[in-house]
Amino acid sequence: MVAFGKKLRQNQIEEWQRYYINYKLLKKKVNRYSQQIQVGAENQQNVLKDFSIMLDNQIERIVMFMLEQKGLLASRLSILGEQHGAVLEQSDESKISELREAYRAVGQDLLRLLFFVEINAMGLRKILKKFDKRFGHRFTDYYVKTRANHPYSQLRQVFKHVGVGAVVGAISRHLADLQDQEGNHISIYDQPALSHPDPVIDSIKAAVNRLSNSTNFLEFLGKHAFTFQDESPTPSEDHLAEQRYHFMSLLLNLVNTFLYMVNTYIIVPTADNYSRHLGAAATVCGVIIGSMAVAQVFSSVYFSAWSNRSYLRPLVFSSVVLLIGNILYALAYDLNSIPVLLIGRLFCGLGSARAVNRRYISDCVPLKLRLKASAGFVSASALGMACGPALACLFQTNFKIHKLTFNQDTLPGWVMALSWLVYLLWLWISFREPPRENNKLVPQESYTGLPVQDAVEIDFTQPLLLNSEAKFQDNNVDQEFDDGEENYDESHKPVTSIVSAYRLLTPSVKVQLFVYFMLKYAMEILVAESSVVTGHYFIWSTTSVAVFLACLGLTVLPVNVIVGNYISNMFEERQVLLASEIMVLIGILLSFQVLIPYTVPQYVSAALVTFVSAEVLEGVNLSLLSRVISSRLSRGTYNGGLLSTEAGTLARVIADGTISLSGYLGESRLLNATLVPSLFICLSSIIATCFTYNSLY
């Protein structure tokens, strides 16, 4: 991999050379600061102040030049606008063509300006990263936050693209007007679909999108899904994703996600009744619910590996296994067999293809649609979580067909078996296996419309703010490109074992995974024991439990809307993370039975606080995790998505086991006995979070 300093020199526009970030000077300064601090000739506070001033001066020079160039572009557009009407009146094809090319030339120059900004942003990000790595100080977080949030922020001028939209709008409108050969003068503002599909306009939009980093609901849900790539895709990679993309196949992946979540939660309201009918204690429901999670620990690994070779075959296998598992679950009632019941649930867990669903979105959905697809993944999961218990309350019936019993205990199995059968047929008919990637690299022209020598290579032009908060890895994880000594292929090579993946985890990543474990543990304790607890204290019916759980599930999307659109824009993610952990702790404390009698308002309010706080925590935690995890864990079998899935699944297994073991103490002591481990784990995660962030800041 060529060093960034060399690439910066190679891609500089010659006449703009003196306005680029002086990466070489800044790099020397960082090295000099490091030497001075080591010998005690300088203290860290003075270094931070001095370096901040240097960066401010560099950014000011870039911004002033950028504004000057935008002014020149606006002047050229104004002159062309004066000529526009006269040329149309003359109807001279040669002059119309000449004017059209003049507008495109303005677009080309705007595109060059955007690449100028982009490569400077990349240089700034890299020097900040180098500074943090050298001094072990999260200076980047301080610098970006203070500069971007200031009312006179010059840094914000770069990323808000002030004036770019007006220039693009003028070029688009005039090109569309010149293209009109039939006299149908309909403005692009009245009908946006009429906007002229010129390659220059498309390239400008792509460049602007790469510089953008606005936090919104879709982006928040996308991070929540944890379907990410370690770098912005190259033109060849995104072109390959375009070839692989098939809407119906994506929809089938989302339906698979939805059905699996329904399958997971549809039995929760009736699991205690089912275990009683088979002669076991009500608290055996923890084993029944948790057996699916036990199998998922193993299925996540082989499905992740299988998705390296195919997407259709693992989805077909998943559907068949889930079909068999649900039939066994339903038959256990008439066979009066707990082992058959547990084997059925184990089969359901072995059919968990969520790793395939995530991988399909990451690999086969184009960048422009990936955020929406990831948001769809989270929405499908949330909807399935709510629909599962809601469906359970509709099965209040009891009849037999040929010695097969259909009641509230068995209908979840039969209904899900039928659902997976229909899905399997739909999958076989409609799914299109995407073409596999060709390992041979084919040289490509610059897709920007600029000559290759003028275009900034996309593989190293990422937004500054996209990674400003979090890609601060230890030396063995986060590879730098500054000295040209690191091997790119090696630093981006996927890991080949779970042990290798674990070795790449930095302390901050381990803490994020532990937080994820904690929130999944707390949520599983709340959901899995709800039927037993509410039945013991409040004598709730199956319908009441199902409605309660469905209402909890329906809070997921509204909570994410609030966090994604408002809270994440008002506070730093680490602040939201810590506040959410504290709220989960408060919810757990409120859930304890310390007063007699235990009331419905206390239980419901505590459950809402715990569940909603855990949902907020999950989104923020996965967002942070997607930023701080090593780039080597963004692909391959043992990727970051698999690690987070395994952490969450392990938490569910332990939580369900805790419920079953606590059942030996009796139903009257079940609630407090299961809350004590939740309390301890939650306190541990808060301490770990505080310690980690205090050591980084």
Side-chain angles (χ1 to χ4, degrees), residues 376-412:
F377 176 87
V378 176
S379 300
S381 299
L383 189 60
M385 187 177 183
C387 286
L391 285 173
C393 72
L394 302 177
F395 300 148
Q396 305 304 304
T397 185
N398 194 348
F399 61 93
K400 283 195 172 188
I401 301 177
H402 298 296
K403 298 183 180 181
L404 293 179
T405 303
F406 295 86
N407 58 21
Q408 65 175 9
D409 297 330
T410 63
L411 275 172

Side-chain angles (χ1 to χ4, degrees), residues 580-602:
S580 301
E581 288 182 88
I582 293 172
M583 289 305 298
V584 171
L585 178 65
I586 292 173
I588 293 171
L589 289 172
L590 290 175
S591 300
F592 276 94
Q593 182 199 5
V594 292
L595 297 175
I596 306 258
Y598 193 55
T599 62
V600 172
Q602 179 186 351

